[in-house]
Amino acid sequence: YAMKEEIIRIIQDNTVIKEKINIDNTLDELGIDSLQMMEIIVQIEKKCDTKFAYYKLKNIKTVKDLLEAIKGE
């Protein structure tokens, strides 16, 4: 749960979205482009002391996908 909130905070810090972000939001809905996505990934890796399998990044379409990628699912 704490990780979910941290990820959402990182996403909010990197976008102009002011409304509440939920795990079902798509990255397109949030206006996240590939550069922003990489910035978010780097921040998550630092904050959560984790590494992403970069080949999985192309499959991330929603906030939930991002959370699952962190968990290694």
Side-chain angles (χ1 to χ4, degrees):
Y1 178 78
M3 183 181 291
K4 174 183 148 188
E5 296 303 316
E6 185 63 31
I7 302 311
I8 289 174
R9 188 193 61 73
I10 290 170
I11 291 170
Q12 286 176 321
D13 288 349
N14 284 278
T15 63
V16 294
I17 300 297
K18 297 302 174 212
E19 61 266 7
K20 184 168 174 56
I21 294 174
N22 68 62
I23 64 170
D24 295 319
N25 283 122
T26 67
L27 302 180
D28 286 339
E29 288 172 342
L30 300 174
I32 297 173
D33 62 23
S34 58
L35 180 58
Q36 285 173 309
M37 181 63 171
M38 289 310 299
E39 291 172 358
I40 290 168
I41 294 297
V42 168
Q43 288 181 27
I44 291 170
E45 286 180 334
K46 287 179 182 176
K47 194 74 162 178
C48 300
D49 193 32
T50 189
K51 289 286 182 197
F52 280 86
Y54 286 96
Y55 68 91
K56 291 184 178 182
L57 294 182
K58 66 179 184 221
N59 298 322
I60 296 175
K61 306 291 183 219
T62 66
V63 176
K64 182 179 180 180
D65 294 340
L66 185 58
L67 289 167
E68 289 173 354
I70 293 167
K71 294 176 186 175
E73 297 176 6

